[in-house]
Amino acid sequence: MNLIDVSTKLQTEDQCLDFIEKVRWPDGKIRCVRCGTDKVSRITRTVNPRIARSEKKQNKRTRLYACLEPTCKHRFTPTVGTLFHDSHLPLSKWFAAVALIVHAKKGMSAAQVQRHLGVNYRTAWYMGHRIRKAMASGEGIIGGGSGGSNSGPQVRKLSGTVEIDETYVGGKTIRKKERGNQKSYERKAAVVGMIERGGELRLRHVGKGSTTAAQVRPLLHELVDRNVDRVMTDESTIYPFAFDGYCASKHETIAHKYEYVRGDVHTNTLESAFSLFKRGVFGSFHRVSHKHLQRYLYEFEFRFNRRKAADLFEDTVANLVGTKPMEYKTLVS
Ligand SMILES: [Zn+2]
């Protein structure tokens, strides 16, 4: 679904609830969230118009199901246990925010979401972070925030031809005479990138200042398949130490001092992903704190790895439906 589809087909609370049900129970059988039976019935309530009006005002989720299992008899709404459950915002605003964020190739700041949706800044910021977390959880990220039940399977390891490089983002620019001997990147966040040619991208925030072999080594083991065909890096001295036996025989380097491409040995695929990310970060976010950088990296990764996917919007909503809410106070603490 694109932005237009979302704004026309997901306008009312009913349309939104139908969509959530479709994503949550793809086979069309609504199941009890406690015992799992599909023997459930929808509770139709006849309320007097005065109460109905006040319920609408408060955006209460009005759709309710009852489990017919005699031992269970649980009552639930389609949003229970999902991110939308305790939100006071209309679902249509949530879906509009998802559509805006997933379709903005260069990312979308809270201020932009605020302007488009007419919500306050704090709400826009909060929605953005929850949506980003959902995007990240689809990648099978472990421990990406508090209480994520949807940590999923381990990240698939990269194979074929893999390019690895590091880049530095953010941080204040300081004039040379003020920083003395400190290198300009010492204040920046170090990001290690790995990309499979014709395949997926991984971006990991490893710390502040220059990258070390000790930071790269565990990422190699975690993200690169042992049976990879070739791994390409620049001539940086950290890589021979980082490989340390793991796929070391597959390692090829390009000396950027002298040349950028030697035959098919280069890291240009990764360089273009880096520059796309940086244009997004500096164009839309202005300043991303070190604390939140990894979430933005996951968001970028998610979108990049699904650049050919049929429906980014639906993928993201599916993750939102499967993600436990993250409290505002946990986020800002
Ligand atoms: Zn039940």
Side-chain angles (χ1 to χ4, degrees), residues 32 35 37 67 72:
C32 173
C35 71
T37 179
C67 175
C72 179

Side-chain angles (χ1 to χ4, degrees), residues 169-217:
V169 296
K172 255 196 237 148
T173 327
I174 319 152
R175 268 186 304 227
K176 208 168 183 182
K177 62 179 176 192
E178 284 168 29
R179 69 171 191 254
N181 285 330
Q182 198 182 34
K183 292 272 190 339
S184 65
Y185 59 75
E186 293 300 333
R187 284 165 170 270
K188 290 173 180 276
V191 172
V192 171
M194 303 187 175
I195 195 167
E196 201 175 51
R197 281 191 196 161
E200 296 195 353
L201 171 74
R202 306 281 181 256
L203 294 173
R204 294 295 179 273
H205 176 203
V206 293
K208 207 172 175 183
S210 53
T211 318
T212 64
Q215 289 168 329
V216 177
R217 194 176 301 125

Side-chain angles (χ1 to χ4, degrees), residues 32-37 39-40 67-69 72-74 76:
C32 173
V33 295
R34 188 183 280 167
C35 71
T37 179
K39 284 185 236 118
V40 299
C67 175
L68 299 177
E69 202 62 57
C72 179
K73 289 185 174 170
H74 187 56
F76 60 95

